[in-house]
Amino acid sequence: MALDYYQVIPHEIALLGGNFTYGRDSKSGLVRHHTAGVLNAQQLNKVWSPNGGRQASTNYLANALGKISQHVWDDNTAWANANTWANRNLLSLEHSNNDGPPDWPISDETIIGGARWGAALANFYKWGKPAFNVNIFDHRKFTTTSCPHHLHAYDGRYNDEWFEEATWFYDQLQHKLVDAQGNPIKMNFPAPTPAPKKERIFMYLTEAEEREILTTVRELKNAFLAPVPSLVPGSTFEAPRTTMIDLLDRKVEELHQEYHGKPSAAQVECDAHAKVDAEHKLEDEEHHDA
Ligand SMILES: [Zn+2]
């Protein structure tokens, strides 16, 4: 299995096989835990075994080497928070300790591995940049527990390191500066300098001019689209001017057929006027001569 931060495919799939509920309400964020034990994926599954182990589960574990394993699919509800709402809406991430009591320390590898996984989930599920009580929560918010102990946001000594790594790695993923395994992508050529943007003002109008345009557009729209009565005397036909214009084509064709090979009434009238004009002109010339 190849780790893929972009597709949130962890180092290892080690399903618990029980101690979870099918389905969930949402994937709205992540709850941080520490295991209160030095546990890898197999050890966790043994301690939290559905066959007689602790009645608990988690979606993910970051082991003491920082490797991520999946124990309950993201689509299902892990029993992680002793709080139904948190279980059904938030994914859970356990961080293994690398030593026991009284200090329960956590290794740098686990902090980095866990923080990067939180960043990968935030990137994949579009939660935005990892931020406390926005998309990253601590177990003790939801029940009476010290968990996640040294990771806790208010007094945990690992918290700053965790968030520093998570926010940095989130940006790396957002800008695709790392490959799927989180290695920096090396550029063998200088990044192209973007061409300077020319400011382009399409319209810079006064309020009066804007109103004038709006009014004109409305008037034009009405002129073309509002129904108007036919100008033919006696007709009760009403239609938008656009329809009237379309009908012209048919009318012209009708005229072509009606007057095929003979002058139209209008043409006869025009010809008659022309004849009268010509006669008057002759008369005028005659008067001139006289
Ligand atoms: Zn916890």
Side-chain angles (χ1 to χ4, degrees):
M1 166 132 328
L3 170 73
D4 189 329
Y5 283 113
Y6 291 102
Q7 300 302 317
V8 288
I9 298 169
H11 296 89
E12 188 181 351
I13 304 290
L15 297 178
L16 195 53
N19 288 358
F20 69 89
T21 309
Y22 284 101
R24 59 162 50 252
D25 292 338
S26 76
K27 287 168 235 176
S28 306
L30 181 72
V31 182
R32 301 186 301 174
H33 302 261
H34 83 139
T35 50
V38 185
L39 300 176
N40 63 24
Q42 286 65 40
Q43 290 161 333
L44 180 139
N45 282 354
K46 217 170 165 188
V47 175
W48 294 2
S49 165
N51 306 313
R54 232 178 94 202
Q55 297 247 300
S57 61
T58 180
N59 295 106
Y60 295 106
L61 164 74
N63 74 13
L65 300 173
K67 304 283 186 209
I68 307 296
S69 48
Q70 178 136 35
H71 298 263
V72 171
W73 294 121
D74 289 9
D75 285 345
N76 293 330
T77 299
W79 301 345
N81 303 297
N83 176 297
T84 306
W85 182 88
N87 286 351
R88 295 192 63 82
N89 291 281
L90 305 172
L91 298 173
S92 54
L93 171 63
E94 289 281 349
H95 297 75
S96 173
N97 305 98
N98 65 340
D99 205 351
D103 190 44
W104 301 110
I106 297 175
S107 71
D108 285 348
E109 288 83 354
T110 302
I111 299 294
I112 290 167
R116 287 185 171 206
W117 201 247
L121 291 168
N123 181 59
F124 186 79
Y125 289 119
K126 299 180 169 56
W127 295 337
K129 194 178 274 215
F132 185 65
N133 274 350
V134 176
N135 44 42
I136 305 293
F137 304 88
D138 283 347
H139 186 185
R140 70 166 82 163
K141 179 185 175 77
F142 303 108
T143 190
T144 313
T145 174
S146 69
C147 181
H149 201 43
H150 291 316
L151 257 177
H152 183 53
Y154 299 139
D155 51 20
R157 65 172 185 251
Y158 301 129
N159 178 65
D160 289 353
E161 188 187 339
W162 196 99
F163 270 102
E164 197 175 307
E165 181 69 22
T167 51
W168 173 80
F169 196 66
Y170 176 84
D171 286 339
Q172 298 289 303
L173 292 173
Q174 282 277 301
H175 298 116
K176 309 230 168 12
L177 298 175
V178 289
D179 65 16
Q181 284 74 49
N183 305 305
I185 296 166
K186 196 172 150 240
M187 300 271 192
N188 289 318
F189 48 87
T193 10
K197 271 190 188 157
K198 273 187 210 151
E199 198 183 355
R200 187 168 161 271
I201 297 169
F202 172 57
M203 277 199 214
Y204 189 87
L205 301 174
T206 64
E207 201 184 322
E209 286 166 332
E210 283 173 5
R211 282 182 194 286
E212 188 193 332
I213 286 181
L214 186 64
T215 308
T216 309
V217 167
R218 280 180 179 153
E219 282 172 358
L220 281 171
K221 189 182 156 199
N222 283 339
F224 280 105
L225 300 179
V228 288
S230 166
L231 293 179
V232 176
S235 172
T236 53
F237 181 67
E238 241 184 48
R241 283 200 171 84
T242 46
T243 308
M244 296 285 193
I245 292 165
D246 289 343
L247 290 176
L248 269 181
D249 184 48
R250 210 187 69 198
K251 285 287 172 196
V252 168
E253 184 53 28
E254 280 173 6
L255 288 172
H256 272 294
Q257 287 178 16
E258 173 71 24
Y259 293 103
H260 181 68
K262 52 182 179 178
S264 69
Q267 191 60 51
V268 169
E269 207 176 321
C270 287
D271 287 349
H273 278 299
K275 200 180 164 203
V276 172
D277 281 351
E279 280 164 4
H280 276 293
K281 210 178 170 193
L282 277 176
E283 277 173 29
D284 285 349
E285 279 165 11
E286 278 164 23
H287 292 157
H288 227 70
D289 292 343

